[in-house]
Amino acid sequence: MIQTPYYIVYEDRLRKNLSLIKHVSEEADVKIIMAFKANALWKTFPIIAEYVDSSTASSLNEMQLSLDCLGKDVHAYCPVYTESSFPEFLKGSSHITFNSLNQFNRFYPQVKEYNGKHPDNTVSCGLRVNPHCSVIETDIYNPCVPGSRFGVNAKDLPEKLPEGLEGFHFHALCESSSYDLEKVLEALKSEFGHWLPQLKWLNMGGGHLMTRKDYNVDHLIFLLKNLHKEYPNLKLIMEPGSAFTWQTGDLVTEVLDVVEDAGIKTAIIDASFACHMPDCLEMPYKPAIAESIDENDSDGLSYRLGGNSCLSGDFVGDWKFKSPLKSGDRLTLLDMNHYTTVKTNMFNGIQHPSIWFKPIEGDPILLRKFTYEDYKSRMD
């Protein structure tokens, strides 16, 4: 039996998602690239590369990880580039999107010079735009919230786009539906349609949760085909994050103790929400637990789950269970691959869970076990 806590990723579930993503790409003639901000588990990249070999990067580390482990087609976007980082992005990216005209004007001369020296390996420049269409309820994940620092407003663009600006990029979704995308596209065309015929490509960002069970894939393909008809000059690009690894992995924990105060029973586990599942506190949301029962079951026993850090707010609840929880019980927190594994931290010096991979055939394979040296080296 594997020692808890541990993440486990399932090959069959991963391939199911990747097959659907490839289907959409081929049917709708859209380039779908992988967002490393949702998954950087590079030991699974050989499988992903069978379906998708392009990525989006928002840091030099993400760019280099793609170049080393996934593919050479890197689409870079950063809220700001620096004089020291930009030359590196220029050498490793196929597309670079700027967050403002100021950033584009500052760095485009370097792109122009680079492209002149490398005519067979040119870099295409884009500009992030803000369609001002909010379809996300949680502000922390809403790029179009009033006062957003992301993207250019239509009123700030000249009638004729600057030399070298070949694409627009927008990102306004988060685990959203095709109908949400439809609303955003209408807003985009309303505010920025005037400029779309001047461009070569349109990057529709992330948040397209096409692998979710209730997602209408046919409607998505319909939308994209119509967009091609309306703007045949545009190459379409999407960069979903969660969709690649949605429901492909779990976090298995063990109950270490049960405490009670003010009538609330808390099962303290050997993992931490703050360290290992930070989205549960940031968003916030309550993950599903395989061993729990329906929360409306009147016969169920209610428990809060508490993490093993000293942060007072390191807890989430409540769930119901058929039987009383006790030390040694294992709990499987579902869908803990996307975003979770890339956001872990070592607050309190708490060790990361080990990472395992379950191939379609055979026993689980250990991908990584963390040690004290991993904690110490963060401060080297």
Side-chain angles (χ1 to χ4, degrees):
M1 183 178 291
I2 301 173
Q3 181 179 348
T4 60
Y6 65 91
Y7 298 107
I8 184 163
V9 179
Y10 299 92
E11 180 181 358
D12 56 344
R13 301 181 194 177
L14 181 59
R15 286 190 181 275
K16 181 180 178 181
N17 285 355
L18 293 169
S19 295
L20 186 145
I21 288 169
K22 186 174 182 180
H23 166 71
V24 172
S25 177
E26 293 174 346
E27 284 295 310
D29 188 22
V30 56
K31 187 179 190 68
I32 300 181
I33 64 181
M34 181 179 170
F36 282 3
K37 65 182 178 180
N39 178 35
L41 192 55
W42 58 268
K43 289 183 179 179
T44 64
F45 286 5
I47 292 174
I48 293 171
E50 295 177 27
Y51 303 82
V52 171
D53 62 1
S54 301
S55 68
T56 175
S58 292
S59 67
L60 291 177
N61 285 337
E62 287 186 340
M63 180 191 76
Q64 194 60 50
L65 189 62
S66 184
L67 297 177
D68 289 345
C69 302
L70 184 64
K72 307 299 183 184
D73 181 27
V74 179
H75 298 233
Y77 163 76
C78 285
V80 287
Y81 299 95
T82 66
E83 292 294 341
S84 60
S85 70
F86 190 77
E88 298 303 312
F89 276 110
L90 195 51
K91 289 188 291 186
S93 305
S94 62
H95 296 66
I96 296 180
T97 294
F98 297 91
N99 189 60
S100 69
L101 282 171
N102 290 336
Q103 284 266 296
F104 172 79
N105 292 331
R106 178 179 177 182
F107 290 110
Y108 177 66
Q110 293 186 42
V111 180
K112 186 175 182 180
E113 180 182 2
Y114 179 89
N115 286 345
K117 295 179 179 178
H118 304 86
D120 297 326
N121 191 33
T122 58
V123 175
S124 181
C125 290
L127 188 67
R128 181 163 178 168
V129 296
N130 186 345
H132 294 101
C133 182
S134 294
V135 295
I136 302 170
E137 294 181 359
T138 307
D139 281 350
I140 192 173
Y141 297 116
N142 185 359
C144 293
V145 68
S148 173
R149 70 188 192 280
F150 295 129
V152 176
N153 295 321
K155 65 181 180 61
D156 296 323
L157 286 176
E159 282 292 304
K160 180 172 174 51
L161 294 175
E163 173 199 355
L165 191 57
E166 298 183 337
F168 275 174
H169 173 287
F170 70 84
H171 180 53
L173 304 176
C174 176
E175 296 186 357
S176 302
S177 71
S178 61
Y179 300 97
D180 292 326
L181 173 61
E182 186 172 31
K183 294 175 184 176
V184 174
L185 285 174
E186 288 304 314
L188 178 83
K189 288 186 281 187
S190 175
E191 290 207 24
F192 296 95
H194 172 76
W195 291 281
L196 294 181
Q198 301 181 40
L199 302 172
K200 293 183 179 180
W201 52 267
L202 176 68
N203 185 326
M204 293 170 279
H208 314 275
L209 195 46
M210 61 186 74
T211 52
R212 186 174 57 198
K213 187 176 181 180
D214 62 349
Y215 191 98
N216 192 330
V217 173
D218 291 336
H219 180 247
L220 172 64
I221 293 172
F222 171 79
L223 283 180
L224 297 176
K225 286 184 174 181
N226 280 348
L227 196 57
H228 274 302
K229 292 177 182 177
E230 195 168 357
Y231 301 100
N233 56 302
L234 292 177
K235 182 175 183 177
L236 301 182
I237 304 166
M238 304 174 79
E239 48 184 49
S242 298
F244 277 83
T245 49
W246 180 257
Q247 296 186 337
T248 60
D250 305 324
L251 173 59
V252 183
T253 70
E254 184 174 308
V255 175
L256 300 181
D257 195 10
V258 178
V259 298
E260 183 173 353
D261 182 65
I264 298 172
K265 292 181 179 180
T266 300
I268 301 177
I269 58 177
D270 59 358
S272 163
F273 292 99
C275 300
H276 308 142
M277 301 165 276
D279 269 354
C280 294
L281 302 183
E282 290 178 3
M283 195 161 191
Y285 82 97
K286 189 178 76 170
I289 296 178
E291 294 79 10
S292 67
I293 62 175
D294 192 304
E295 61 183 17
N296 296 316
D297 191 328
S298 59
D299 294 328
L301 302 172
S302 292
Y303 288 86
R304 171 185 288 177
L305 288 197
N308 62 342
S309 81
C310 68
L311 176 69
S312 297
D314 189 359
F315 69 85
V316 175
D318 294 300
W319 291 266
K320 284 190 175 182
F321 297 87
K322 186 175 182 180
S323 304
L325 293 182
K326 61 185 184 303
S327 298
D329 287 344
R330 289 201 166 196
L331 299 177
T332 306
L333 283 73
L334 304 177
D335 197 20
M336 287 291 170
N337 189 6
H338 65 92
Y339 280 100
T340 301
T341 53
V342 296
K343 286 190 172 186
T344 55
N345 62 78
M346 285 188 169
F347 170 67
N348 260 179
I350 293 176
Q351 205 66 269
H352 290 330
S354 59
I355 304 175
W356 293 74
F357 178 73
K358 176 61 178 72
I360 293 176
E361 297 182 0
D363 296 329
I365 299 167
L366 177 63
L367 299 184
R368 178 71 188 272
K369 184 175 182 179
F370 296 88
T371 69
Y372 162 71
E373 292 301 325
D374 295 300
Y375 171 63
K376 183 183 177 185
S377 65
R378 294 164 71 92
M379 301 301 171
D380 283 349

